[in-house]
């Protein structure tokens, strides 16, 4: 039996999927948890599909080193990957699907039914507004926090400062706005 949560991030090169995984791992470690973050690249070029992964455990070291094929959580940074990327492959029944999209939450609820908790946010619009670029990594972390409660927004203060320096405040603002704007459809129990 696994004692950790597994996350699979889907994005395109340059969108920040790898950075997202690193930041959630740093936030978890800062809270005294155990965490891993690792990427999986195809052709290493800007715009190419990429995946990155996390494992997070509250209380036990993580000894598993294999790839993640059946995640508890899937986070999609690029909306086009929902159509072409088979992002739901292996997502555990009862897991969480978090999507950067302009489509309403109900669209995905009707598409996927009640198999997973589903969360949506227009992370692209938030990133363009607050960061001035279409890099949605920290914005999607805000959506992850809202959908899962895996960490608190305050857990990212130090990792953001370390990673982004003087841009940390803007990234925190993007994360907070995504936390507020993410729509979540909870699973029906029973």
């Amino acid at each position: 039996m696994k004692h950790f949560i597994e996350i699979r991030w889907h994005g395109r090169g340059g969108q920040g999927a790898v950075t997202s995984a690193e930041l959630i791992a740093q936030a978890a470690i800062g809270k005294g948890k155990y965490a891993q973050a690792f990427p999986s690249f195809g052709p290493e070029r800007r715009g190419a599909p990429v995946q990155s992964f996390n494992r997070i455990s509250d209380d036990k070291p993580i000894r598993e080193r294999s790839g993640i094929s059946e995640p508890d959580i899937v986070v999609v940074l690029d909306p086009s990957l929902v159509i072409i990327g088979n992002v739901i492959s292996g997502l555990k029944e009862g897991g969480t699907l978090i999507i950067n999209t302009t489509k309403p939450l109900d669209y995905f609820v009707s598409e996927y039914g009640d198999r997973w908790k589903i969360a949506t946010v227009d992370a692209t619009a938030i990133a363009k507004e607050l960061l001035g670029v279409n890099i949605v990594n920290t914005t999607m972390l805000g959506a992850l926090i809202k959908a899962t409660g895996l960490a608190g927004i305050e857990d990212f203060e130090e990792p953001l400062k370390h990673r982004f320096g003087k841009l940390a405040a803007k990234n925190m603002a993007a994360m907070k706005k995504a936390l507020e704007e993410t729509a979540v459809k909870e699973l029906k129990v029973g």
Side-chain angles (χ1 to χ4, degrees):
M1 185 89 174
K2 292 184 179 175
H3 59 87
F4 43 78
I5 293 172
E6 294 179 312
I7 306 170
R8 186 174 65 214
W9 300 81
H10 291 266
R12 293 189 179 276
Q15 286 184 316
V18 174
T19 300
S20 295
E22 291 171 355
L23 289 169
I24 189 71
Q26 290 169 3
I29 291 167
K31 286 183 69 167
K33 297 181 179 189
Y34 298 90
Q36 295 176 340
F38 52 100
S40 172
F41 295 105
E44 293 186 26
R45 60 183 168 78
R46 192 168 204 61
V50 298
Q51 292 181 13
S52 58
F53 307 91
N54 289 106
R55 286 191 182 95
I56 300 171
S57 171
D58 285 338
D59 56 358
K60 294 181 183 172
I62 303 167
R63 306 222 186 283
E64 179 111 12
R65 296 286 183 243
S66 63
I68 295 174
S69 58
E70 295 182 351
D72 300 287
I73 302 165
V74 168
V75 185
V76 184
L77 280 67
D78 187 296
S80 71
L81 295 175
V82 172
I83 299 163
I84 64 168
N86 198 19
V87 296
I88 59 171
S89 175
L91 179 58
K92 290 179 184 165
E93 202 72 27
T96 302
L97 176 62
I98 306 166
I99 306 168
N100 170 19
T101 183
T102 57
K103 293 182 179 174
L105 179 62
D106 290 342
Y107 171 83
F108 294 99
V109 172
S110 67
E111 189 77 14
Y112 298 123
D114 290 327
R115 295 171 25 194
W116 307 295
K117 178 191 284 188
I118 300 172
T120 60
V121 65
D122 189 352
T124 301
I126 294 169
K128 285 180 179 177
E129 175 192 342
L130 296 178
L131 303 173
V133 294
N134 182 18
I135 300 175
V136 297
N137 53 0
T138 52
T139 311
M140 290 304 289
L141 285 168
L144 176 73
I145 293 167
K146 173 88 172 256
T148 67
L150 201 54
I153 197 102
E154 67 283 351
D155 298 323
F156 289 90
E157 287 178 19
E158 286 307 311
L160 287 176
K161 285 178 190 172
H162 179 74
R163 177 71 185 209
F164 297 111
K166 64 183 180 178
L167 296 176
K170 282 186 175 184
N171 281 276
M172 180 60 83
M175 192 182 297
K176 285 179 179 176
K177 186 160 187 175
L179 177 68
E180 294 166 7
E181 293 187 9
T182 298
V184 180
K185 180 235 159 224
E186 297 290 337
L187 274 174
K188 290 181 182 172
V189 180

